[in-house]
Amino acid sequence: MSAPLSDRATVRAAGPVSTAAPAAAGDPGVRSPRRAGTRHTLLGTAAGNAVEWYDWAIYATFASFIAKQLFSPSDPSSAFLATLAIFAVGFVARPFGGFLFGWMGDRIGRKASMTVCVGLSSLGSLAIGLTPTFEMLGAGASLMLLIARLAQGLAHGGELPSAQTYLSEMAPAPRRGYWSSLIYVSGTVGILFGTLLGAVLATVLTPEQMASFGWRIPFLLGGAFGLVAFLMRLRMEESEAFTSAVPAPARSGFFADLGRHWRQALMVIGLTVGLTVVYYVWGVSTPAYAINVLHIDATGALWAGVVANLVFMAVLPLWGRLSDRIGRRPVLLIGGLGSAALYFPATWLVRDAAWQLGVSMSAMLVFIAASAAIVPAVYAELFPTSIRTIGVAIPYAIVVAAFGGTAAYLQAGFGAWFGTAGPTAFGVYTILLLLASALTVTRLRESRGLALDGS
């Protein structure tokens, strides 16, 4: 007779059973295998995910320096636009990375996919930090930057789905929502560290030093951080859900499996469209908008963003815990509908002061966190083990590229196309996407406590 679901979940979280004689309780220097395995799982997953988000953040932060160093100085405006275009290329590469590393995660292993992803991303960061200037290499400098960003885009397209799948499979079923909140917590740590590092470098280095070598430091550090995460992931165990799954030759065709789960793929798209846009707006771009459009003091606006993201990090685990108690669907609806209802009041509050920005961002991010905390678990609970990584990776990467990658362009474009009505029009666009996500939630089966076995 098979073990109860709760027992199987406990065994899965505990890792392999040791055959050694048990040590006496309280013996000094004795580590619990379960606790050691849990520590490796959480730290390895968090470190790699933080590096990915850090890499993405520092490119945006130091884009103006990259443009001056790696592109022709004869046309600064074109150089900056080319730098941003290469940033967008990283988004375009994500769906391809989602397919490649999703396939690897479902055929070779979640651990292998995650390890290669963080290694490739760190090599891209190192390459950017070491790329010769345009003056030294000419157009070759721009080409090296493009190749590095393509590599990072591929890696980032596979990193998040692989990490989400692995973490959800390793988590005890009754606490999967709580564990899944680690994805956005660690990602936000990466963004905040990159932002604060930029502020520190700008403070201690002169503008000339920043332009010549200071902008390279974050990328070189990103390569070093990625190497550490790579080594940490080598020590992680593969999830038991994957290792106990039916062997690949006994499964039906790979693409046939995907085709049979097209409804789940559409649910990933529906769940993601609202979250990715509203998070980008309120978690990433609002401080820049406040500085450039509302002329709020730059220092105050940036610190308001830091405080709001700290609030975001603090509430993520709380929403995860709540979903483990009352279910995924109620928490997702609270997050989506709450974000939609608060969008315009939060926008109207921000006028001319940094404190207004901090309050608005914090309030919005509290509701955004409800969805962000648990979608990694929800995605994993949609698919069987055999296609769990790629089933999430492809639709997720497409949505992030199509909606997250265009959010900044549309936010600025709506202002140009509709004049003073632009912000309102963009707000309506965002709210409609949030409502589409909420509608998707109503079609979602409740999956709290579901066992992710090797089926």
Side-chain angles (χ1 to χ4, degrees), residues 65-93:
F65 296 101
I66 294 172
K68 294 174 182 176
Q69 292 291 306
L70 304 187
F71 291 87
S72 172
S74 60
D75 189 348
S77 297
S78 296
F80 186 67
L81 289 174
T83 305
L84 295 181
I86 289 181
F87 181 72
V89 164
F91 279 100
V92 175

Side-chain angles (χ1 to χ4, degrees), residues 96-117 154-155 157-167 169 233 237-246 248 251 254 258 383-394 455:
F96 299 97
F99 179 84
L100 173 63
F101 291 106
W103 176 88
M104 179 182 292
D106 288 331
R107 286 297 177 263
I108 301 175
R110 288 47 162 136
K111 172 188 169 181
S113 178
M114 294 166 61
T115 304
V116 175
C117 280
L154 288 171
E159 163 64 29
L160 197 60
S162 299
Q164 290 176 158
T165 299
Y166 178 80
L167 188 64
E169 290 180 346
R233 286 185 168 181
E237 298 173 354
E238 184 56 84
S239 76
E240 186 177 336
F242 176 80
T243 57
S244 64
V246 178
R251 297 183 185 134
F254 186 65
L258 283 174
F383 293 92
T385 301
S386 60
I387 59 165
R388 184 166 291 134
T389 310
I390 198 168
V392 175
I394 294 177
S455 60

Side-chain angles (χ1 to χ4, degrees), residues 13-16 18 23-24 27 29-40 237:
S18 173
D27 280 357
V30 175
R31 290 194 308 167
S32 163
R34 176 177 179 177
R35 294 185 65 182
T38 297
R39 187 180 303 113
H40 289 158
E237 298 173 354

